[in-house]
Amino acid sequence: MELRHLRYFVAVAEEMHFTRAAARLGIGQPPLSQQIQQLERELDAPLFLRLPRGIELTEAGRQFLEDSRAILAATARAAERARHLGHGESGNVSIGFTSSSVFHPALARALRAYRDRYPQVHVELREGNTGSLVEWLRTGEVDVAFLRQPFSLGEDFQADRVVDEPMLVALPAGHAMAKARALTLASLRDEDFVLYPRPIGSGLYDTILAACRQAGYTPRIAQEAPQMASIISLVAAGFGISLVPASMRHVHTEGVRFRPLRGPAPRALLDLAYRRHSPSQAARNAVSLMRQAAGG
């Protein structure tokens, strides 16, 4: 038995006329009658009573009509779901990001572009540090992640640069250098620093330390904070200064001033990492669209 047999039977049952059903199906009436007879032989049950003035469904035919409609409807739904998944228009996508990236407009821009284009896809957002995001990518817990270098993913993955932004000095509003138009790294030699713990944010941590050492000193770390927003709050409270991605100036915290750096200065880099050959079309669409939107 094939699906076409069910479609033929439903057409005849709904038209209650072989000639009209054949015209509806676009086939000849004799082949249609033969197909119905073949179906009845396979079922070993008559589906129609052949009457002098037409046909009528048997009890078996009425039940088979109900079941056939259900099967055809389920088949149509299955085909539709497969098409949507195959085009990446439904399903699930998990997107990871670091806490420092959430303040950059690129992340919001990328997420908005994807949600606008694929509103039927369920998007799960997961925040983590670079180490946890790398692990989630490897295990498939996230499909794509915005994360900071350095990291190592292996040949099955790829990372594309989407953000390259300067870093600013964050100072308490009452700091003596807060009125300066710009600062140098060397001028921060005697300051207390508030930074990410290295195990959580090794990328920015190592970038800052390397830049300070190039300027001739090792920064004195007075306080660590696990979130970029927490760092800004601690700066406002007078615990020290910090070097933060320029996008952090969007965090409106009272008591903090942001100043640019003159001369050699570190950069905050953000990559979009993903599996090269994801089985999910939705994930592949997310990579393509978000890479373009984030870089725009």
Side-chain angles (χ1 to χ4, degrees):
M1 186 188 307
E2 301 176 18
L3 286 176
R4 62 185 175 88
H5 292 121
L6 302 185
R7 286 192 288 268
Y8 292 168
F9 166 71
V10 169
V12 174
E14 290 178 348
E15 297 292 342
M16 278 300 168
H17 197 281
F18 276 92
T19 301
R20 289 197 298 270
R24 168 176 156 182
L25 294 166
I27 62 175
Q29 187 271 327
L32 176 59
S33 296
Q34 293 170 7
Q35 291 292 322
I36 296 300
Q37 290 169 4
Q38 179 183 334
L39 177 61
E40 289 176 314
R41 286 194 298 270
E42 186 173 347
L43 294 173
D44 192 25
L47 299 174
F48 295 100
L49 293 175
R50 275 72 172 177
L51 304 174
R53 294 191 176 184
I55 58 175
E56 182 180 321
L57 283 167
T58 64
E59 182 180 16
R62 288 194 296 273
Q63 182 60 56
F64 194 66
L65 176 60
E66 179 181 337
D67 293 340
S68 295
R69 283 171 168 163
I71 292 170
L72 292 173
T75 301
R77 287 194 300 272
E80 186 71 6
R81 283 195 295 266
R83 278 193 295 272
H84 283 307
L85 286 168
H87 294 158
E89 296 170 347
S90 63
N92 302 280
V93 168
S94 181
I95 300 168
F97 55 91
T98 63
S99 62
S100 61
S101 68
V102 73
F103 296 100
H104 196 283
L107 180 61
R109 192 165 59 235
L111 293 173
R112 187 184 310 112
Y114 184 70
R115 289 304 303 269
D116 288 348
R117 176 64 181 83
Y118 298 101
Q120 299 305 314
V121 176
H122 175 260
V123 176
E124 177 191 15
L125 300 177
R126 297 192 65 177
E127 181 178 346
N129 57 54
T130 296
S132 61
L133 289 169
V134 166
E135 182 61 24
W136 294 341
L137 278 168
R138 287 175 177 157
T139 60
E141 294 178 69
V142 298
D143 299 295
V144 57
F146 291 85
L147 65 169
R148 305 280 185 186
Q149 290 281 4
F151 55 83
S152 177
L153 284 168
E155 61 183 15
D156 291 337
F157 297 87
Q158 181 169 328
D160 300 324
R161 180 65 38 77
V162 292
V163 171
D164 180 348
E165 62 178 324
M167 298 192 77
L168 304 178
V169 184
L171 309 106
H175 195 284
M177 291 188 288
K179 295 180 180 179
R181 298 190 60 176
L183 301 168
T184 64
L185 280 176
S187 68
L188 307 178
R189 177 189 302 271
D190 298 323
E191 299 297 325
D192 289 334
F193 278 71
V194 181
L195 295 181
Y196 257 15
R198 190 180 187 282
I200 292 179
S202 63
L204 290 178
Y205 185 98
D206 290 347
T207 296
I208 292 170
L209 258 67
C212 291
R213 285 168 180 160
Q214 190 173 0
Y217 66 97
T218 297
R220 184 172 62 244
I221 301 173
Q223 185 69 43
E224 293 182 335
Q227 301 289 336
M228 190 60 69
S230 302
I231 290 175
I232 300 300
S233 295
L234 289 173
V235 169
F239 281 78
I241 69 164
S242 190
L243 297 182
V244 298
S247 53
M248 291 303 299
R249 61 190 164 196
H250 298 300
V251 179
H252 300 294
T253 301
E254 185 177 350
V256 176
R257 298 293 182 269
F258 297 97
R259 294 293 178 262
L261 285 163
R262 289 196 311 267
R267 310 282 297 183
L269 309 177
L270 187 66
D271 290 353
L272 185 69
Y274 53 93
R275 186 177 295 276
R276 290 181 186 273
H277 305 292
S278 172
S280 165
Q281 183 62 48
R284 295 197 294 273
N285 290 346
V287 168
S288 177
L289 188 59
M290 294 176 68
R291 179 173 53 200
Q292 179 181 2

